[in-house]
Amino acid sequence: MRSRTMRRTAIRLRLAGALAAVLVAGGVAGGPAAQAAERHGKEPTLADLAERHGRYFGSATDNPELVDEPYKALLGSEFRQITPGNGMKWYATEPQQGVFDFSQGDEIVNLARANRQKVRGHTLVWHSQLPGWLTGREWTAPELRAVLKKHVQAEVRHYRGKVFAWDVVNEAFNEDGTYRESVFYKTLGPGYIADALRWAHQADPRVRLYLNDYNIEGIGPKSDAYYRLAKELRAAGVPLHGIGLQAHLALQYGYPTTLEDNLRRFSRLGLDTALTEVDVRMQLPATEEKLAQQAEWYRDLTEACLAVRRCVGITVWDYTDKYSWIPAFFPGEGAALPWDEQLRPKPAYFALRGALGGK
Ligand code: G3I
């Protein structure tokens, strides 16, 4: 085992090398820097490294960012999987009842196709980012059931063969493991989850179907709720194939040390798992120490996934601090991703490489 100091020194050295590479990629060509860039350019990407372990390594992205060419270039080269951060959500895809608009999701699917990346569909049923027509009135159970079925099936059908997995239901539980009182739960009861999975399966029998949530990385009341539900659903023959652990981590709350055990218990139910929205935020300003700790967390979560055969891949919730959701939602926090706002790799990036067996 290497000591922390050795790891940190190695990370700093690599950071210096990659900085040179980035400067050159940005047009500041020159002798030694250019050579360094060339060497760096030939190194396997995170996705290449993950693939050697039979895993994908991906990033979320969002439509407004796709005008940023340097951003787009890295998105296309470093990752082999992308997730639309917003474009496939209900408010975007069915802005009026029965009127579907798949343009944002399609843009991302087309980009992925051009870059030979696979796409995780996110997300069909969620309490948040719903269209006004749905939240603005009361529904009877039969009405809402029909609305839900139509939405799920129209979207899954549209993306049949284009996405390999769906977050069918997102964030269904509260922290204490009770069901979240979403409009779907309140109107339809907990059976809406099994129904949504069955409807999605009918619309695309090949796509992998997931339940996805945050704060379920470690073993606790919320992940226990998923464990129990997954067991019940499997026993009842409901088409559930995986559990997505979002992994929005924060340095101030501690690392979920039971992550690997947790992944393993879902595997034992015959389910895939994936780390679907990874970021590791911190209270700003980011210091060298915090960035080093963040790097260790990225390394540890990657090692946990690699240790469990059915943990199929890792997706960061966008790859650069430039487009992270964190500062807008948690004022005073940020610096959560492996690349900084200038698209320069941070210690976390090198820790990821190391964990994946790269140099
Ligand atoms: O589309 C409007 C735009 O018209 C307006 O000008 C702008 C002004 O603020 O807002 C835009 O909407 C924003 C939307 O993202 C699209 O960019 C919303 O304000 C903003 O709240 C929304 O945030 C998204 C968030 O989900 C909503 O809960 C984030 O981008 C997205 O990354 C985040 O993703 C979620 C996952 O889906 C589920 N897990 C948690 C994760 C982080 O919250």
Side-chain angles (χ1 to χ4, degrees), residues 62 85-86 89 91 122 126 128-129 170-171 246 248 277 317 325 329:
D62 207 357
N86 287 298
K89 290 174 178 174
Y91 80 112
H122 175 81
W126 190 28
S128 181
Q129 289 177 291
N170 195 38
E171 302 174 4
Q246 294 182 7
H248 291 294
E277 306 185 11
W317 204 239
W325 67 292
F329 280 76

Side-chain angles (χ1 to χ4, degrees), residues 99-266:
V99 180
F100 291 89
D101 176 357
F102 294 115
S103 54
Q104 291 187 54
D106 288 352
E107 186 186 7
I108 287 172
V109 165
N110 292 337
L111 178 70
R113 186 170 279 180
N115 289 323
R116 299 206 178 119
Q117 294 161 317
K118 48 187 202 171
V119 179
R120 284 195 94 251
H122 175 81
T123 172
L124 299 169
V125 190
W126 190 28
H127 65 277
S128 181
Q129 289 177 291
L130 290 169
W133 62 262
L134 199 161
T135 52
R137 54 159 282 192
E138 298 287 316
W139 300 92
T140 65
E143 282 171 346
L144 190 61
R145 215 176 127 74
V147 160
L148 187 61
K149 181 175 182 184
K150 185 169 182 178
H151 179 76
V152 166
Q153 295 210 313
E155 185 155 8
V156 173
R157 222 174 272 131
H158 179 83
Y159 287 112
R160 186 163 42 195
K162 294 178 176 166
V163 306
F164 74 99
W166 269 110
D167 288 330
V168 177
V169 180
N170 195 38
E171 302 174 4
F173 286 105
N174 295 313
E175 296 305 295
D176 64 359
T178 57
Y179 280 100
R180 186 190 284 275
E181 301 260 321
S182 68
V183 63
F184 307 109
Y185 178 79
K186 283 196 291 194
T187 316
L188 303 170
Y192 83 91
I193 297 176
D195 284 340
L197 289 162
R198 288 195 184 100
W199 292 329
H201 187 66
Q202 275 171 13
D204 181 356
R206 294 214 178 131
V207 74
R208 309 290 289 168
L209 302 179
Y210 280 69
L211 304 178
N212 188 54
D213 214 326
Y214 59 89
N215 281 351
I216 58 163
E217 294 71 38
I219 292 176
K222 198 174 183 183
S223 62
D224 288 350
Y226 276 96
Y227 185 73
R228 277 194 304 273
L229 175 63
K231 210 170 174 176
E232 277 170 36
L233 293 173
R234 299 282 296 178
V238 176
L240 171 68
H241 309 114
I243 303 291
L245 293 77
Q246 294 182 7
H248 291 294
L249 306 182
L251 289 186
Q252 66 272 25
Y253 301 134
Y255 181 80
T257 51
T258 47
L259 173 60
E260 190 180 317
D261 292 341
N262 196 27
L263 293 171
R264 197 159 275 128
R265 70 172 169 162
F266 286 110

Side-chain angles (χ1 to χ4, degrees), residues 15-31:
L15 183 58
L19 268 178
V22 166
L23 284 175
V24 174
V28 192

Side-chain angles (χ1 to χ4, degrees), residues 1-12 14 292 296 299:
M1 242 335 228
R2 288 196 295 170
S3 75
R4 277 175 186 215
T5 326
M6 277 172 71
R7 271 201 307 266
R8 275 185 202 149
T9 312
I11 282 169
R12 273 189 217 116
R14 282 187 225 124
E296 282 176 24
R299 183 202 63 210

